[in-house]
């Protein structure tokens, strides 16, 4: 097995193509982003979306409301968070520990901790939007980035883990809008039975275009070698 194939096989169906793009020098972040968005939509569709999303959403809404009303300081806030975390854990158990439910619950806990810090009533975030977007981000991290960062460093494609993080940020910046669109569709249909990826940001090349590109590249290389021989 070729070394590159070994690294690519660390990814599931759909995600492998994104890593194939990522490990090729000079491939723009937008190409990787398009592959990731397509893989995310496919995974959500084939894995039943995010089981328990509505229940997680309800638990978050209830906790946010209670946090906005609390007035007794840190003790009451902690009690609200603990009760909410227990409820979120129960939801995950009821969904047989489904990975997507677990990611959504972890995201919910993080959002509630942040909301707790704002529990002086100065603002209630649109939590459903944050929950869906951050869940999608968490799924991409789970299925792709966590492994991709390690592999890119191991293959010598990037200098170190800091450089891998910088590369990840460049891809996430490009994919932000499409990820938000996936999240919006997830909130409307948590089971994601008909979920499809948004339109690509990079036009997909046809086989004939790729062949022409290869021929031009080979011709250019031949000319370059010929000129060196003179």
């Amino acid at each position: 097995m070729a070394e590159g194939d070994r690294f690519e096989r660390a990814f599931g169906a759909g995600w492998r193509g994104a890593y194939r793009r990522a490990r090729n020098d000079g491939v723009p972040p937008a190409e990787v982003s398009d592959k990731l968005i397509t893989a995310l939509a496919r995974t959500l569709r084939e894995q039943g979306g995010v089981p328990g999303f509505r229940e997680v959403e309800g638990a978050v809404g209830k906790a946010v409301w209670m946090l906005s009303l609390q007035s007794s300081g840190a003790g009451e806030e902690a009690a609200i968070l603990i009760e909410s975390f227990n409820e979120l854990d129960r939801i995950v158990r009821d969904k047989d520990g489904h990975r997507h439910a677990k990611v959504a619950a972890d995201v919910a806990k993080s959002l509630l901790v942040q909301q707790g810090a704002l529990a002086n009533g100065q603002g209630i975030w649109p939590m459903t939007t944050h929950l869906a977007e951050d869940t999608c981000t968490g799924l991409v991290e789970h299925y792709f980035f966590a492994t991709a960062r390690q592999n890119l460093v191991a293959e010598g494609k990037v200098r170190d883990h800091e450089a891998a993080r910088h590369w990840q940020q460049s891809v996430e910046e490009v994919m932000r809008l499409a990820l938000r669109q996936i999240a919006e569709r997830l909130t409307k249909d948590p089971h994601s039975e008909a979920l499809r990826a948004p339109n690509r940001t990079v036009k997909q090349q046809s086989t004939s275009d790729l062949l022409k590109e290869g021929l031009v590249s080979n011709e250019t290389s031949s000319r370059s070698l010929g000129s060196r021989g003179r």
Side-chain angles (χ1 to χ4, degrees):
M1 182 188 299
E3 185 73 1
D5 290 342
R6 178 173 72 83
F7 284 103
E8 289 175 14
R9 286 179 183 274
F11 299 92
W15 302 92
R16 199 168 297 138
Y19 186 69
R20 196 171 295 127
R21 293 290 194 284
R23 66 190 298 274
N24 287 336
D25 296 334
V27 171
E31 283 195 28
V32 180
S33 169
D34 281 341
K35 285 291 183 182
L36 290 178
I37 290 297
T38 299
L40 175 62
R42 173 182 173 178
T43 299
L44 284 168
R45 190 169 61 249
E46 294 180 351
Q47 298 285 333
V50 180
F53 182 83
R54 293 289 187 224
E55 294 167 71
V56 171
E57 181 183 20
V60 168
K62 177 182 177 182
V64 168
W65 175 71
M66 293 176 69
L67 286 169
S68 70
L69 296 177
Q70 68 91 15
S71 58
S72 301
E76 185 176 349
E77 176 186 316
I80 293 170
L81 291 177
I82 290 171
E83 180 181 349
S84 301
F85 287 7
N86 288 338
E87 174 64 11
L88 290 166
D89 289 340
R90 183 197 62 76
I91 293 170
V92 174
R93 288 195 301 272
D94 286 350
K95 303 306 174 184
D96 297 323
H98 194 293
R99 168 55 57 180
H100 297 184
K102 178 70 164 58
V103 170
D106 288 345
V107 166
K109 291 176 183 179
S110 177
L111 290 174
L112 287 176
V113 169
Q114 296 175 58
Q115 183 64 55
L118 301 176
N120 55 10
Q122 292 185 358
I124 301 299
W125 298 347
M127 297 298 278
T128 299
T129 300
H130 282 282
L131 177 62
E133 288 185 15
D134 288 359
T135 296
C136 288
T137 299
L139 290 173
V140 178
E141 171 69 18
H142 169 72
Y143 283 109
F144 183 76
F145 282 126
T147 303
R149 289 194 304 270
Q150 297 178 16
N151 286 2
L152 289 173
V153 174
E155 286 196 83
K157 298 298 183 179
V158 295
R159 183 179 63 258
D160 52 29
H161 290 284
E162 182 179 352
R165 285 282 186 185
H166 180 74
W167 163 80
Q168 175 178 340
Q169 290 169 1
S170 69
V171 176
E172 289 177 330
E173 181 66 28
V174 175
M175 69 186 293
R176 182 172 295 142
L177 177 59
L179 191 76
R180 185 171 297 134
Q181 292 174 327
I182 290 281
E184 288 173 354
R185 295 171 190 183
L186 178 64
T187 61
K188 296 174 183 176
D189 177 21
H191 298 295
S192 305
E193 295 176 350
L195 183 65
R196 291 292 183 272
N199 294 333
R200 294 169 59 90
T201 56
V202 177
K203 183 180 178 181
Q204 191 167 12
Q205 289 180 292
S206 66
T207 303
S208 60
D209 289 338
L210 291 171
L211 288 172
K212 289 176 184 177
E213 192 174 273
L215 289 171
V216 170
S217 177
N218 289 337
E219 185 179 340
T220 302
S221 298
S222 298
R223 288 175 180 172
S224 178
L225 289 173
S227 63
R228 291 176 190 172
R230 293 193 185 103

